[in-house]
Structure formats: structure tokens, C-alpha cells
Amino acid sequence: MDMNQYLSMFIDESNDHLQSLNESMMGLEANPEDLSIVQVIFRSAHTLKGMAATMGFEDLASLTHQMENVLDLVRNNKLRMQDFIFDTLFKSLDALESMVEDITGGGEGKADVSAIVASLQAIVRGEIPSAAGAAAEVAAGAAAEAPVFLDEFQYSVLEQSLQEGHKVLYVDVAIRKDCQLKAVRAYMVFDLLERSGEVVKSFPSVQDIEQEKFDYSFSLYYITQKEASEIQAMILNLSEIDKVTAVALDQESLRQMGQEAVAATAEAPAPVKEAAPASNASPASAAHAKEETGKPAPVRTGGAPSRTIRVDIERLDVLMNLFSELLIDRVRLEQLASEVQNTDLTETVEHMGRVSGDLQNIVMKLRMVPVDTVFNRFPRMVRDLAKSLDKKIDLVVTGAETELDRTVIDEIGDPLVHLLRNAVDHGVEGIQDRLAAGKSDTGTVNLRAFHSGNHVFIEIEDDGAGINPQKILQSAIKKGILSQEQAANYSDDEAIQLLFAPGFSTAEVISDVSGRGVGLDVVKSKITSLGGNVVVYSTQGKGTNFSVQLPLTLSIIAAMLVRLGSEKYAIPLSSIVETGIVKHTQIRSIHGNKMVEFRNSHIPLVSLSKIFSVPDYDESTEEETEIVVVRKGERLVALAVQDFIGQNEIVIKNLGKYLPEVQGISGATILGDGQVALIIDPNAFIK
Amino acid sequence: MAEDIKVIVFKLGTEEYGIEVEKVQTIERMMPITRVPKTYSFIKGVINLRGVVIPVIDLRGRFGIEEAEHTDQTRIIIVAVNEMEVGFIVDSANDVIDLNQDAIDTPPDVVGGIKAKYLDGVAKIGEDRLLIMLNLSEVLNKNEIVQLESLEG
């Protein structure tokens, strides 16, 4: 069977599963007792394993298989989640992700996962090789004290032996720590026991003991005719044996041990947590978070499957392009119809206009994607980052369902990553500093997305130390961005915006997280290139808020077409306040700048023909001038034009890579007659 | 013998120039050009090429040769280099030839007033024709433009 046709489906679904695994793991970390999340994780892992095996990606399948083993123990209450297990599982997810990435890039999905597989297997065996050596010993000790749990088969064998009059012993053997060849000693114990009975079950397993994978002690269930004391003495006769306890079991105690076994193993890892307080910061902070917000982590249960189909992004782009062409033709048709003055034609064209309007809405909606597709990787990123920086940070995401045009979504990821890293690295203080400032040790980073008018806002707010405007100014002067005199005129708010100036980085210590100097200016230019804006607000001691404003869509806007001599320009309707006519006599000259009166105040009059050096039009020769009043924030400017042509939906095209950025021009569009008209960027005229 | 390459031949004044055929997308007759204000004088503006907006530069202006009136023969050669699509206005373009790479010599310092860095080489075809091979990445290099402007200015 040819698998290639399924490959893209496999990649898509794998990514979905990995994402849901990541999310569920985060949820579980915040809520380690919630076994329903484990079920969700288990199902995802299981599906992933099945798909990988079918597609022949063996490494992928085997790694997921090991993860499944661990998860299986957890969901059956045989293992309790703890830091080390979380870390290993997260590492496994990273490995899986890189494998899927490799497959996406046309690779075989092969990777050396032996280290991760080994630690997963160790977890399944009940060994917790925690980073702290002490913890490992405690864990081993705890495991040794706990009776070995038996499966059903072994239990029934023991029970039967008892009924037949044999004796069942539970034997704990400890070998002296200075023993050189502990595996050999263990073998001798086994050999001795096998001579006068049968070992039903040992912990660790016989294979592990043979490979010295045990910690100087082991325990076993043993069927024999001899008395417990006899066996104890026999074993003690061997050299280098430290301690032996042999306990005879009756049916009652056997049953009890069988039941307790489960509970005991579940309790066993508990001492590890106390032994390694340094490494269990995250469950603690998670618990803390729960107390504070009082809201459990969202659990994603498999609700009703939405009826969707996957469509190649390129096809959507083609659809969009075709639709743009149609729109151009529609505008052309409208022009022709108005010239011909035929009622039937006009009606048909009007109807077509309405239909294409609806069509446009649908096509635009198709391209809208919830910001969640970008946000969903952030919780994991912030978690890892906070851990590596030894900080406690809660990321609170709101408005993830807010929708944005796909082109914006594609581009906004990197700038947001940068801002979030900043918030975690520079924004939120270290635990000590936070406590010293009288704050809770856990910092909060809010990631918010919401609609407002024709824009979507994404805010990243931390409750950290805030920004010191004076420090910014000093740094800017030192770096030659500002002169001392200029700096004196800066308000605090203006000073903070200097963060976005090229070549600015306030980090006193350059960490590998952020602060390499290429920073916020790149973020800013990226966001501006998307037609958006970013500003920063900060209150010292309270925190910092980066607010990113993005346009809802990039490709089609309503615009006013104007004429300047033989040239046509488009002005985005969203920034137009009003159009009007002013007489020559109404234009005043103030300090050499032309101003006109507008709503009881005077606003600057900008001559587009002069700025664009239009060859065949000059408004100063006219008695009356048409003006378009445009707005940027609170500021208004009047643009002088020759004629208004009308209002149109226009498709935004860029000017091509070759053209350097042209001041006052944000792009181009194709008119109904096939000519190119430039789109004016009114913001450029308002300083 | 090295391989043959196909070359589009076009004229600026009396000189003949060549561009490898793979880099040429189409050759168009003159069409309405929308002027783009506040940019270099040799950038004539943008055109609508089947729904795509493409900047057009006058190759004469780019090389500092006096610009000429457009005639029936004037063509716009659309090239694609480094993911940039640009149209070149040339006096005429009416030939495609096979050129052996061995026939291309390294250029002398200045050919027809054009700096050598814009050239890939000079090829001799037939007895008396010289074909100047253009180095498109250099022609479209924007850093170069800034220097050029400052020299002119």
C-alpha cells in the first residue's frame, strides 16, 4: 500500500495529538490527582502509537509505547505522578515533536531516544532516578519496605500452595553495602532458596538483579516446606549478607498484602517529594495557583466532534486570489453598467454585487483562525522558561477564541514569543525579589486577546517590577539613541516607548532567553509591517503591559478613491473622518503651515500633490479644494485632493520586494480598469 | 566544451545585452505604468501583470544612460531574481540565442559606460557582434542604488 497519500494526514493528526498531549500534560501538572486527564493523555498517546506503527515510523511508535506504559500505571493508580515523571514525559513529547518535524521535512522520523526510553522503563519498574541522589535512595528504600505487589496469577499460586499445606514466606534480603559483587550474592541467595522451595516473585525482577539493577536489597515471595526461621538462618550463613527477614504468611495476611500492595506502591514515591524539595517547585506552584485563582485547570474532554474538513492552505489562497479578481471585475461591471444606463443590466449587476458581498464575507471567514493556534504552545514555553530561570509563573490565557486573518496569525507568532519571553525573563522578578517586594512568590503573566472595532488587541501583561523610565533614558543616551537635551523633554510614557528603538536592550545581564539587543525593534517593525502597532504601558512595582494592535484582515478593505490630476489613489475608509470642500480663502497660514478650520479647531492641510510631486495637478491654483480629513488616534489632518471618485472595496497588494518602502504609501490595488492605484497610508502624514 | 545556455537578447541604444532565459518570466509590450512617488528616478512605477503588482525600472536610467522615448519596439522584460519580480524597460527584445559558456569572457572594466560589476561577462557571437551578459543580482542590489544616488546627487 502506498503510504504517501496518508502522510500529510498523518502529520496533521500527529501534530493535533501532540498539541493535545502537551495541553493535557500541563493540565495534569496543575492537577496531578485528576485521573480523567490521564485518560485523555493515554488515549492520545495510544492513537499516536497506532498511527505511527501503521505508517512504519518505528522509533515514534516505540517511544509512544513506553509513554503509554507509564501512563497506564498512572491511570490504574499504580503510580503517582511526580516531578521526575512529568519531566521525562515532557522530554518524550519534545522528542516526538522533533520526530514528527523530521517526518514533515521528508525525513524518516528516526531519532535516538534510548535515553528517554530507558528512563521511562525505569519509571515503569518503579525506580525513580531523581536528580538528587538522596532522593533515589529514599525511593529505593521506600520501595523495598513496601511489600511486592502480586498479579492475580501469582496470588492464586500462593493461595493454592497455602491450601496444599506449603508455607508461603515473604523474604527481605539486604546485602552489605561494601559488597563488591552484589549480583553474585543475590544469585547465591536465589540458588540456596531454589534448592528447598520455589521463588514465585521477586522485586526487583530476577533479570534486573542479575544485571545489578538493584540497591543492595531485594524482596521475594517464596514457597517452601521449611520454617521461616530456618530459611532466615540459611541465608544469613552466606557471607556479606547484612539482614534477612522472613515472614510466614497465612491466607488472611496474604490477601491483605495483595490489597495493600497497590496502595503501598502509590504511597512509596511520597518521601521522594520531601527529599527533593528543590525539584518539585512546579507542583507546588501549581497547587498555589489553584488556591489563588480557585479555578481548576481546564480539562479538555473529547466533546462532540465538530464537522470539519481539512483544506490545504494554498487552496484557500487560490480561492482568495480568484475572489480578488472577481471583485475587480465586479467594480468594472458596475462602472460599465452606470455608463450604459440599462435598467436590466443595472439590476443584475446590483444583485451580483450583493451576492459577491456575501461571498466575500464567507471567504474572509474561511481565512479567520482563532488565535489559539498560536497561543496553544505558549503555556508549555512559559513553563519551561520559568523552570529554567527558577521563577514561579502562572500564564493566564484569555480570549484564545478571538479570530484573526490567517496571514496575520502566521506572522504574529514570533513577535509574541519574544514579548512573552521578555515578560518572563525581564518582567517577572525572581522569587526572592518578589517576596522582598511583598508580592506572592508566583508571578502572573496575562495573555489576552480581544476584539475592538476593526482591530484585534493582544496584550501581554506581567505583574513584575515594571520599567524604570529614567533607566531607559540613561541607557538610550549611553547608546547614542538620544542626546542629553532631547532626553530632558521626554515624558515617562515616551521614555518607555524607547524600548522599541533600534539597538536597545535594557537587560544588564545578557541571558540566553532574551536581551541580545536585537529585540523589541524587530518586534515593532514586524507588527507595523502587518499594519498593526505595539505600545507599552508600565507602572513601576506593579508590572508592564505590552499591547499589540492588529488589523482584523489584511487583504480587502473599504477605501475612498480620489483623483490627483491623471493619477488615482485609494485612502482606507477606516481612517477617514469626513470629506468636504474648503474655499481658498478659508485656508490660513500659521507659522508657514497651511491650516483649515474643522469642527471649531484648526487642523493642518497637507498637499498630497506636493508630497507626491504630482506632475499635472496643484490645488493652490483652484478656488475650492476638496479635502479628506483623516485621523490617527486623536489627531486629525486634512488631505487636499482634486476629486472624489467614490467608495470601493479594494484588494490590497504589496508593491513587490524590490521597491524600497515608500513614505506615505502602504500598498497598491488594481482598479476596475486594470490600472494600478496606490494606497495612501494616512498615518505617515500625522506626526 | 561547456554547456550551451539559452539567452534572451535585448538592446539598449546600440549595445546588445543578454539575460539567461530561466531568469526571464515574460516579455511584455509597453503598458500603462502607475507612477510611484518619492522613489529613485529610474523606478518608473508599477504595472498590473495579470493581477500581480510589479515594479518596473528603466534599465537605461539604472545604468546612467540617457533615457529614451518609448517606441513600438519598447518592451518590458519581467525577470525573477532572489524572489524579486521586476520589470526592465528596454529599447527592444527580439532574439533568443544559444550561447556556449566558453564563449563568455570576463568583462573589461567598463563596457558601454556600465561598471563591470553589473556584468557577468562579454560574449562574442559571430564576427562582429558583442553580447553583454548582465549580472542581475548586482543590477537589483539595493545597497548599490544608495551609493549610486549619492554619486548622482
Side-chain angles (χ1 to χ4, degrees), chain A residues 504-564:
Chain A
F504 197 96
S505 175
T506 44
E508 270 140 28
V509 184
I510 290 177
S511 69
D512 72 336
V513 178
S514 52
R516 261 162 295 189
V518 288
L520 289 170
D521 58 321
V522 181
V523 170
K524 172 128 184 167
S525 67
K526 185 91 203 183
I527 291 169
T528 343
S529 75
L530 290 171
N533 192 21
V534 53
V535 283
V536 51
Y537 310 97
S538 182
T539 317
Q540 270 198 73
K542 290 272 176 60
T544 309
N545 182 358
F546 284 91
S547 176
V548 179
Q549 179 187 357
L550 294 165
L552 260 186
T553 176
L554 291 179
S555 31
I556 298 181
I557 58 166
M560 162 81 81
L561 291 180
V562 298
R563 194 193 318 274
L564 289 171

Side-chain angles (χ1 to χ4, degrees), chain A residues 32-45:
Chain A
E33 305 299 324
D34 192 344
L35 288 184
S36 66
I37 306 181
V38 181
Q39 293 284 8
V40 175
I41 299 177
F42 186 83
R43 274 200 299 273
S44 271

Side-chain angles (χ1 to χ4, degrees), chain A residues 215-291:
Chain A
D215 199 47
Y216 296 103
S217 73
F218 56 92
S219 30
L220 44 88
Y221 285 93
Y222 181 52
I223 304 172
T224 182
Q225 289 289 352
K226 298 194 165 136
E227 290 295 330
S229 54
E230 232 178 303
I231 297 293
Q232 207 165 325
M234 266 168 64
I235 299 174
L236 273 176
N237 271 342
L238 293 167
S239 51
E240 289 191 309
I241 298 292
D242 198 27
K243 204 176 85 189
V244 178
T245 47
V247 188
L249 305 174
D250 55 18
Q251 287 210 15
E252 183 59 28
S253 58
L254 184 62
R255 196 173 315 120
Q256 260 180 14
M257 288 195 98
Q259 282 163 355
E260 273 170 16
V262 174
T265 35
E267 273 165 28
V272 180
K273 260 193 181 169
E274 286 160 18
S279 62
N280 67 357
S282 76
S285 74
H288 196 92
K290 240 169 73 189
E291 279 164 30

Side-chain angles (χ1 to χ4, degrees), chain A residues 567 612 653 657-658 674 676, chain B residues 34-35 38 48 51 83 142:
Chain A
E567 297 178 351
F612 291 158
K653 312 244 174 191
K657 275 196 178 170
Y658 178 69
V676 182
Chain B
T34 302
R35 190 182 65 93
K38 307 192 98 167
N48 163 22
E83 294 175 18
K142 281 185 219 152

Side-chain angles (χ1 to χ4, degrees), chain A residues 325 567 569 611-615 653-660 662-663 665 668-670 674-678, chain B residues 32 34-40 42-43 46-48 50-53 55 57 62 83-84 86 139-140 142 145:
Chain A
E325 302 266 317
E567 297 178 351
Y569 292 89
I611 286 179
F612 291 158
S613 13
V614 176
K653 312 244 174 191
N654 63 30
L655 287 176
K657 275 196 178 170
Y658 178 69
L659 266 188
V662 183
Q663 203 216 341
I665 301 291
T669 187
I670 295 168
Q675 292 229 25
V676 182
L678 301 178
Chain B
T34 302
R35 190 182 65 93
V36 177
K38 307 192 98 167
T39 183
Y40 308 115
F42 58 82
I43 299 182
V46 287
I47 55 166
N48 163 22
R50 289 176 277 283
V52 182
V53 175
I57 67 183
R62 178 70 183 87
E83 294 175 18
M84 284 192 285
V86 177
V139 173
L140 296 180
K142 281 185 219 152
I145 295 174

Side-chain angles (χ1 to χ4, degrees), chain A residues 369-381:
Chain A
V369 186
V371 284
D372 189 41
T373 49
V374 189
F375 282 8
N376 58 22
R377 60 188 160 120
F378 291 156
R380 174 72 199 280
M381 188 192 86

